[in-house]
Amino acid sequence: MGDTSLENTNGKKQVNKKALISVLVCVVMVLGVVLADFVKGRSEYSSTAIAMGTVVNIRLFGSDGEETAEAVENNINETEKALLSWREKNSDIERINASAGTTVSVSTETIDVIGKALDVSKNSGGVFDITVGKVTRLWDFGGDNQRLPSDNEISEALESVNYSSVKITDTTVITAEGQSLDLGAVGKGAACDRLKLLLSSTNTESAVISVGGSLLLYGDRSFNIGIVNPENDKEAMGTLKLSDTCVSTSGNYEKFFVEGDKTYHHILDATTGYPADSRLSSITVVCESGTLSDALSTACYILGYNDSLALLQKYDAEAVFVFKDKTVRITDGLKDDFTRTDESFVVAK
Amino acid sequence: MKKLFMRADFIVILTVIILSILLFIPNLFNNSTLTAQIYVDGEVVEEINLQEVEKSYTLTPKNGTKITVEKGKICFSDAHCKDELCIKSGWLSKKGQTAACLPERVVVSIKGTDKTDMMTY
């Protein structure tokens, strides 16, 4: 009898000990999850800024978020002020325009952007053209002097538009006399490319940064990118699940004005000098290079769906085309990544 | 015959359930918070919990740029810029929505993300 009671006491003790260990294991596991969640929460840093005349949204995952966000903002300002804005005194583009017809030494980064833009100009048959500066200045979309220019003014300005006059070497650019470069259609994408380089030297694991409509998706983390509904700029019409790439959208709703009974949007066909007569409301291009995604979104908006496919293929780029009648066409490489979020749009098969 | 569950198992299961509930509560609380941030020249100058707003009021963060706050929503209500795009943006009431007055460098943004991590437009 005495032996049995001893066994029972030991058995009970053992059960209690087992229970205690199990509870402890559970507590440790749950605390681990809490801690991981806390660390993850801490490692995300978000901020909003204004740079390049647009809103910049920054979401960084990793450490040193605050310093990195500041570096991101400075980097975008540098892209605008020192390299690509024709408005900024002494930027590379302002100097090229001021000395049109003579050789100008500029940074290799600017050469790289001009080179890519010229390539898209050529491959788009000139509907996209970075020498369109004189024409865009006439219209001045979004500026203080926005207006409908006369046919004569446009014909005159068009005489200076010819991408094939621009010659580049590793460090220099020469344009034709009277010619004016405008890199507005690639600037924000080019900023994304520079940010990618910047982030690779920081402690950022993943990031998503929007510079206006151009986005940089950095690292392996997947992000849900909303494509804006052309009829309601606060809502998405669909999303793309993407990682480690660049995204740019061009749409007729971004900058426009109405005169008489006609709406004039800011995407100019460089061969006519007038807003592109497109069946599209918007096009979103996904490409490894931000400069190319930005240039292609403009070029493909002007070209329309059928003529864009070969151009996109040339650059290994994919796209979502949103038509004015709310039809949506998606290139094969993006079909599995796209989710429609607004049922009034119809995805064509 | 052995019982399917011993007393110790119940203790473990109960512990896990209680901890899971405790873990879920802050998440539930966080998800329901709707916080608007007002940026001027890149700095956050005002953070407003939109759900705690009882009476509509107006803020003037910079040079006559007015922002109206109501329960659950916020908008630009006056600006001196030519295009008034900020006013045309209308009410912001969902996470991730942003409106900006670019000339005055004033941004209103609702913290967090909804179904999308970022928008392209």
Side-chain angles (χ1 to χ4, degrees), chain A residues 84 86 93 96-97 110-122 124 126-137 160-168 173-175 179-187 268 270 291 295 298:
Chain A
L84 303 183
W86 60 265
I93 297 303
I96 294 168
N97 288 347
T110 301
I111 296 282
D112 180 58
V113 176
I114 293 177
K116 282 182 175 137
L118 286 175
D119 201 54
V120 176
S121 300
K122 185 178 147 203
S124 70
V127 295
F128 171 86
D129 193 324
I130 54 166
T131 61
V132 78
K134 283 199 167 167
V135 183
T136 54
R137 244 147 282 168
S160 67
V161 180
N162 182 4
Y163 66 86
S164 58
S165 320
V166 183
K167 306 290 176 209
I168 55 173
V173 181
I174 183 165
T175 55
Q179 209 163 41
S180 184
L181 299 187
D182 185 342
L183 272 73
V186 293
L268 300 176
T291 306
T298 304

Side-chain angles (χ1 to χ4, degrees), chain A residues 51-54 75-98 106-107 109-110 113-114 130 133 136-137 180-188 190-191 194:
Chain A
M52 269 186 150
T54 190
N75 191 280
I76 299 170
N77 282 326
E78 188 184 62
T79 305
E80 181 191 18
K81 291 180 174 31
L83 307 179
L84 303 183
S85 172
W86 60 265
R87 288 184 177 88
E88 295 290 336
K89 191 85 186 143
N90 293 325
S91 75
D92 281 351
I93 297 303
E94 194 273 340
R95 288 190 301 110
I96 294 168
N97 288 347
V106 294
S107 72
E109 287 173 289
T110 301
V113 176
I114 293 177
I130 54 166
T136 54
R137 244 147 282 168
S180 184
L181 299 187
D182 185 342
L183 272 73
V186 293
K188 294 174 181 76
R194 290 190 83 229

Side-chain angles (χ1 to χ4, degrees), chain A residues 34-316:
Chain A
V34 175
L35 195 68
D37 196 50
F38 179 77
V39 169
K40 191 182 143 225
R42 292 285 103 182
S43 70
E44 182 182 345
Y45 183 85
S46 305
S47 70
T48 304
I50 289 179
M52 269 186 150
T54 190
V55 178
V56 175
N57 286 304
I58 304 165
R59 286 186 71 197
L60 304 168
F61 300 85
S63 42
D64 311 328
E66 198 170 345
E67 293 123 77
T68 307
E70 206 179 313
V72 163
E73 201 181 325
N74 292 338
N75 191 280
I76 299 170
N77 282 326
E78 188 184 62
T79 305
E80 181 191 18
K81 291 180 174 31
L83 307 179
L84 303 183
S85 172
W86 60 265
R87 288 184 177 88
E88 295 290 336
K89 191 85 186 143
N90 293 325
S91 75
D92 281 351
I93 297 303
E94 194 273 340
R95 288 190 301 110
I96 294 168
N97 288 347
S99 309
T102 59
T103 303
V104 181
S105 293
V106 294
S107 72
T108 51
E109 287 173 289
T110 301
I111 296 282
D112 180 58
V113 176
I114 293 177
K116 282 182 175 137
L118 286 175
D119 201 54
V120 176
S121 300
K122 185 178 147 203
N123 289 320
S124 70
V127 295
F128 171 86
D129 193 324
I130 54 166
T131 61
V132 78
K134 283 199 167 167
V135 183
T136 54
R137 244 147 282 168
L138 275 179
W139 289 89
D140 197 32
F141 283 100
D144 292 335
N145 304 310
Q146 180 175 277
R147 68 187 176 93
L148 173 61
S150 71
D151 291 346
N152 278 346
E153 284 178 301
I154 287 175
S155 312
E156 205 176 300
L158 271 179
E159 284 171 20
S160 67
V161 180
N162 182 4
Y163 66 86
S164 58
S165 320
V166 183
K167 306 290 176 209
I168 55 173
T169 67
D170 287 346
T171 53
T172 63
V173 181
I174 183 165
T175 55
E177 219 171 302
Q179 209 163 41
S180 184
L181 299 187
D182 185 342
L183 272 73
V186 293
K188 294 174 181 76
C192 289
D193 287 336
R194 290 190 83 229
L195 291 178
K196 191 174 178 179
L197 269 180
L198 169 79
L199 292 182
S200 65
S201 65
T202 65
N203 293 321
T204 309
E205 286 162 21
S206 298
V208 56
I209 300 171
S210 70
V211 185
S214 286
L215 270 59
L216 167 68
L217 281 68
Y218 178 82
D220 295 333
R221 193 188 182 100
S222 287
F223 294 101
N224 272 323
I225 304 304
I227 297 175
V228 81
N229 180 344
E231 291 172 4
N232 176 1
D233 66 3
K234 290 208 294 290
E235 300 289 342
M237 50 71 59
T239 61
L240 286 168
K241 199 169 180 65
L242 301 167
S243 65
D244 195 20
T245 191
C246 287
V247 182
S248 289
T249 297
S250 287
N252 59 7
Y253 47 81
E254 288 173 77
K255 290 177 192 168
F256 65 88
F257 64 86
V258 182
E259 190 144 325
D261 56 353
K262 226 177 153 190
T263 302
Y264 298 90
H265 64 77
H266 77 296
I267 308 172
L268 300 176
D269 180 337
T271 59
T272 66
Y274 283 91
D277 186 15
S278 176
R279 285 176 57 216
L280 298 171
S281 287
S282 76
I283 172 172
T284 298
V285 174
V286 179
C287 182
E288 203 186 330
S289 153
T291 306
L292 288 175
S293 69
D294 213 358
L296 288 171
S297 69
T298 304
C300 293
Y301 180 90
I302 303 165
L303 287 172
Y305 177 73
N306 288 328
D307 294 337
S308 292
L309 298 177
L311 185 66
L312 290 167
Q313 217 165 17
K314 206 177 267 283
Y315 294 100
D316 208 12

